[in-house]
Amino acid sequence: MATLNFLTGNSGKLREAQVLLEPLGWKVQQFMIDESVPDIVEPQSSDLTNVALAKIAQAVELLASQGRMNEPLLVEDTGLFIDSLLGFPGVYSSHALKTIGNEGVLRMIDENRSAHFLTVIALWTGELVEVFTGRCDGQISAKISGNEGFGFDPIFIPDEDDMNRTFSEMTTVEKSVFSHRSKALKSLFDFLQQDGP
Ligand code: IMP
């Protein structure tokens, strides 16, 4: 099975990539140096693609420092964009979760509950960088629900789910039917298939 390195400190993101890509023949392993996930700097930018590109540039330098430049490696950046808040928290999603949390987000919004997740994946193929995106439209729930997943999952209901569940009320496999991340990962998989694992 071919191996794909994923530079992330988020075990939820890693698990979702593994659940989606491993049945398709790609082993996804967390990129580590000396048994820990290396720190990379997230730049301040109003654009998720710029953030992902800045992350992959640093990740490729780390690969080079390990003499592993020919290995494929991915990074990703995700944001939750709430319509009634003019796209907030967006690129500030991580900061918003750490400060106001899901309770704070629920307090900020009113009747218009439309929102979407956007994921940008930057892949170092071993030779060049490719970018993949995935979007999931949905609604912010009236209350926090469910125990699965991570981040904003307990307050986000994807429009495509007939059962009106938050992501946190789904298994990882069920979330991957609808999620922004799985859409980006599927595009990445289609790209990788051109050469085969
Ligand atoms: P990051 O900067 O890409 O790590 O993500 C920004 C914030 O969004 C983090 O606090 C994550 O927990 C959250 N987040 C990322 N992906 C998801 C998701 O699929 N569901 C819910 N929250 C997410």
Side-chain angles (χ1 to χ4, degrees):
M1 195 183 279
T3 300
L4 201 49
N5 297 290
F6 189 177
L7 175 46
T8 179
N10 182 321
S11 57
K13 289 183 178 186
L14 180 70
R15 189 169 137 72
E16 287 181 20
Q18 289 169 333
V19 163
L20 193 89
L21 292 178
E22 294 199 359
L24 300 173
W26 283 88
K27 177 172 157 43
V28 180
Q29 77 180 8
Q30 194 170 29
F31 179 71
M32 298 212 195
I33 297 178
D34 296 334
E35 292 176 26
S36 63
V37 179
D39 278 336
I40 50 174
V41 183
E42 269 205 32
Q44 283 298 308
S45 169
S46 56
D47 186 304
L48 284 184
T49 304
N50 288 341
V51 177
L53 289 174
K55 282 187 181 176
I56 198 72
Q58 296 173 64
V60 171
E61 278 184 24
L62 291 168
L63 264 184
S65 74
Q66 303 302 299
R68 295 168 57 186
M69 274 289 275
N70 58 342
E71 293 184 25
L73 182 146
L74 68 94
V75 297
E76 67 110 278
D77 212 61
T78 294
L80 173 68
F81 298 80
I82 300 175
D83 291 2
S84 63
L85 303 180
L86 306 175
F88 180 84
V91 290
Y92 308 107
S93 291
S94 180
H95 185 65
L97 259 179
K98 280 186 210 138
T99 51
I100 59 173
N102 283 325
E103 294 88 354
V105 173
L106 291 186
R107 275 198 296 272
M108 286 173 83
I109 56 173
D110 45 33
E111 316 84 74
N112 178 5
R113 310 192 77 85
S114 299
H116 66 272
F117 271 114
L118 205 58
T119 289
V120 178
I121 292 177
L123 170 74
W124 168 250
T125 64
E127 290 176 352
L128 46 87
V129 173
E130 293 281 338
V131 172
F132 308 92
T133 59
R135 173 177 171 139
C136 178
D137 290 300
Q139 307 293 317
I140 302 299
S141 59
K143 59 182 176 59
I144 291 172
S145 289
N147 300 308
E148 303 294 324
F150 63 96
F152 299 107
D153 282 347
I155 62 164
F156 186 84
I157 301 172
D159 286 341
E160 286 178 81
D161 182 34
D162 294 339
M163 293 161 71
N164 268 325
R165 294 168 297 177
T166 66
F167 274 150
S168 277
E169 294 174 305
M170 303 179 189
T171 63
T172 304
V173 171
E174 287 168 340
K175 178 181 173 185
S176 78
V177 173
F178 312 110
S179 91
H180 41 294
R181 181 163 300 101
S182 66
K183 286 171 185 152
L185 287 167
K186 279 175 193 152
S187 299
L188 176 145
F189 171 73
D190 290 343
F191 171 83
L192 292 173
Q193 277 310 93
Q194 292 164 14
D195 292 330

